[in-house]
């Protein structure tokens, strides 16, 4: 159970929610483990829920408190809301911003600032943690180049210029990604990003982790009432969750990339868990995928301190926290959207 930004998160699948007067009651089987007054809550998000009473759902609908249901893995299932929903106003403003290149670019700058800052942090962390196992000079040079790219972001006047800066920065970052792989080098190597299909073990893992992260971001946006298909940096395309792809940019390196590196460097995965198809595509076997998902769930439960909120949150809550902050900015409650900057 976690109350954050007036949203109640129920992360334990054994919890049942009910209503007692004007209070949400959180139960573990027959034991009451928490009580939260309804007037303190804007929304409730449950993961792998046991259930919620009809009385509570009705009370939430009456008070316009959204009640969202997710799978244990974070996939959005449904949201119960009342007849009158402020999400309409929120989404209309989102669509206005999406149609305004200047306003869209300003928000996109925050996403890319987070991406470059966090990519630089991943490189710097490797230099700090493994000074005797990495090429310090090489990594430091790339880190400085990313720092220069960060300075260019504020000068970008269009989304096209911003994409150019982001593309060049991604090339810089991935040019040393292989240097961050410290174990099993014969079987896990990175010579460049490839996808559709991935052509080596590392790219297969990266593609899978990006898919998981994108799903988390899309679910988070649904929960706060934003349309995950209408983005500010990624253009509209049928079937593409453009805003989710925007939101995940700042989390790619610190969440997905570091997770893949940890799986390799701590030997939690090996070359026997991959299959190479006739067309060159590399896929994870079922057992490997299950192991990957299990470790991914463990990663999501690790605790960090959010630099903007200065509160402790789980890694798995980051997409939901950032989605809430984005929604608050679009509603005008914040002067700017604060990207997650990992330190």
């Amino acid at each position: 159970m976690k109350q954050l930004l007036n949203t109640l998160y129920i992360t334990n699948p054994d919890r049942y929610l009910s209503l007692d007067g004007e209070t949400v009651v959180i139960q573990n089987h027959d034991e009451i483990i928490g009580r939260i007054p309804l007037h303190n809550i804007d929304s409730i998000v449950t993961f792998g829920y046991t259930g919620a009473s009809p009385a509570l759902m009705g009370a939430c609908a009456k008070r316009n408190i959204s009640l969202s249901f997710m799978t244990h893995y974070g996939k959005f299932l449904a949201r119960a809301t009342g007849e009158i929903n402020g999400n309409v106003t929120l989404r209309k403003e989102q669509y206005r911003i999406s149609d305004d290149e200047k306003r869209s670019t300003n928000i996109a700058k925050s996403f890319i600032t987070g991406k470059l800052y966090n990519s630089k942090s991943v490189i710097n962390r490797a230099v700090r943690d493994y000074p005797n196992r990495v090429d310090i000079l090489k990594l430091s040079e790339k880190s400085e180049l990313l720092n220069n790219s960060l300075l260019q972001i504020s000068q970008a006047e269009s989304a096209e210029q911003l994409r150019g800066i982001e593309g060049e920065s991604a090339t810089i970052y991935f040019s040393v990604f292989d240097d961050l792989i410290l174990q099993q080098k014969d079987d896990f190597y990175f010579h460049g990003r490839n996808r559709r299909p991935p052509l080596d073990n590392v790219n297969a893992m990266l593609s899978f982790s990006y898919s998981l992260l994108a799903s988390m971001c899309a679910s988070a946006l649904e929960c706060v009432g934003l349309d995950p298909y209408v983005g500010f940096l990624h253009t509209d395309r049928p079937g593409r969750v453009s805003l989710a792809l925007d939101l995940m940019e700042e989390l790619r390196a610190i969440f997905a990339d570091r997770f893949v590196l940890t799986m390799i460097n701590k030997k939690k995965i090996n070359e026997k868990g991959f299959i190479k198809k006739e067309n060159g595509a590399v896929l994870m076997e079922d057992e490997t995928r299950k192991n990957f998902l299990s470790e991914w769930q463990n990663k999501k439960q690790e605790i960090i301190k959010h630099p903007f909120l200065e509160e402790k949150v789980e890694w798995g809550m980051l997409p939901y926290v950032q989605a809430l902050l984005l929604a608050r900015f679009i509603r005008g409650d914040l002067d700017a959207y604060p990207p997650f900057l990992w330190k």
Side-chain angles (χ1 to χ4, degrees):
M1 181 177 67
K2 178 73 175 178
Q3 192 173 358
L4 194 67
L5 295 175
N6 295 327
T7 295
L8 176 64
Y9 292 98
I10 306 298
T11 57
N12 191 306
D14 295 327
R15 304 296 186 250
Y16 180 80
L17 305 179
S18 60
L19 182 70
D20 182 9
E22 295 293 310
T23 301
V24 179
V25 178
I26 301 100
Q27 295 176 247
N28 182 22
H29 302 294
D30 294 329
E31 179 187 2
I32 296 176
I33 62 171
R35 292 176 177 269
I36 308 291
L38 278 171
H39 67 262
N40 288 342
I41 303 172
D42 289 332
S43 59
I44 301 172
V45 180
T46 70
F47 292 82
Y49 71 102
T50 297
S53 72
L56 175 62
M57 295 178 69
C60 288
K62 182 179 179 181
R63 293 162 179 79
N64 199 29
I65 298 172
S66 70
L67 177 56
S68 299
F69 300 101
M70 323 287 286
T71 68
H72 181 56
Y73 291 103
K75 183 179 179 180
F76 179 81
L77 292 175
R79 182 175 61 247
T81 56
E83 183 177 357
I84 301 174
N85 192 343
N87 291 347
V88 173
T89 303
L90 176 65
R91 290 199 178 198
K92 286 180 71 175
E93 184 61 18
Q94 176 190 355
Y95 299 149
R96 292 190 192 101
I97 295 173
S98 180
D99 289 335
D100 187 323
E101 183 175 2
K102 184 176 180 180
R103 296 177 70 191
S104 290
T105 300
N106 284 335
I107 297 180
K109 285 181 179 180
S110 295
F111 295 137
I112 300 306
T113 294
K115 178 175 184 176
L116 269 59
Y117 183 96
N118 293 330
S119 297
K120 185 167 69 80
S121 293
V122 169
I123 294 174
N124 292 344
R125 182 65 68 94
V127 171
R128 189 195 72 184
D129 292 348
Y130 307 104
N132 299 321
R133 302 179 65 183
V134 298
D135 187 333
I136 294 178
L137 180 60
K138 179 182 178 181
L139 293 184
S140 297
E141 287 177 348
K142 300 301 182 181
S143 176
E144 186 58 31
L145 288 173
L146 288 175
N147 198 53
N148 293 336
S149 296
L150 275 168
L151 299 176
Q152 297 175 24
I153 291 177
S154 61
Q155 302 172 6
E157 297 180 353
S158 67
E160 195 62 33
Q161 286 182 322
L162 197 57
R163 293 188 191 99
I165 295 171
E166 187 274 333
E168 291 176 3
S169 301
T171 299
I172 293 169
Y173 169 70
F174 278 126
S175 72
V176 291
F177 195 76
D178 191 63
D179 296 71
L180 307 181
I181 300 173
L182 306 176
Q183 300 286 345
Q184 309 184 83
K185 295 289 288 187
D186 290 339
D187 302 306
F188 294 91
Y189 48 82
F190 185 85
H191 297 158
R193 183 78 179 105
N194 52 68
R195 54 196 172 187
R196 300 190 189 96
L199 302 176
D200 56 64
N201 298 344
V202 176
N203 273 290
M205 296 172 71
L206 287 174
S207 291
F208 190 49
S209 64
Y210 291 162
S211 294
L212 294 174
L213 185 57
S215 178
M216 290 171 62
C217 290
S219 295
L221 293 165
E222 287 273 11
C223 281
V224 303
L226 289 169
D227 187 338
Y229 291 90
V230 179
F232 304 127
L233 178 65
H234 290 82
T235 55
D236 295 344
R237 183 183 299 174
R240 183 166 78 172
V241 284
S242 296
L243 187 59
L245 297 179
D246 287 352
L247 188 66
M248 72 178 281
E249 289 293 353
E250 64 197 73
L251 303 178
R252 280 180 187 265
I254 54 166
F255 201 125
D257 296 355
R258 285 187 68 240
F259 176 78
V260 168
L261 290 170
T262 297
M263 292 288 287
I264 298 170
N265 291 335
K266 291 191 174 182
K267 299 183 178 180
K268 295 185 176 184
I269 206 162
N270 59 60
E271 82 286 356
K272 295 179 181 178
F274 296 82
I275 303 172
K276 190 162 188 175
K277 298 290 188 178
E278 292 182 0
N279 64 351
V282 174
L283 305 174
M284 284 188 281
E285 290 187 333
D286 288 344
E287 196 60 36
T288 302
R289 190 178 295 107
K290 290 178 183 177
N291 178 40
F292 193 98
L293 288 170
S294 176
E295 293 294 336
W296 181 266
Q297 287 300 104
N298 292 336
K299 170 67 178 177
K300 286 165 61 177
Q301 294 170 14
E302 294 177 8
I303 304 295
I304 59 170
K305 186 175 182 180
H306 195 285
F308 179 77
L309 300 177
E310 296 187 343
E311 291 187 36
K312 291 182 178 180
V313 299
E314 297 174 352
W315 270 108
M317 288 292 102
L318 277 184
Y320 300 93
V321 174
Q322 295 307 121
L324 277 168
L325 292 172
L326 179 60
R328 289 198 165 193
F329 166 67
I330 292 174
R331 281 198 299 263
D333 298 334
L334 292 174
D335 293 334
Y337 167 71
F340 179 81
L341 304 178
W342 187 58
K343 300 178 180 179

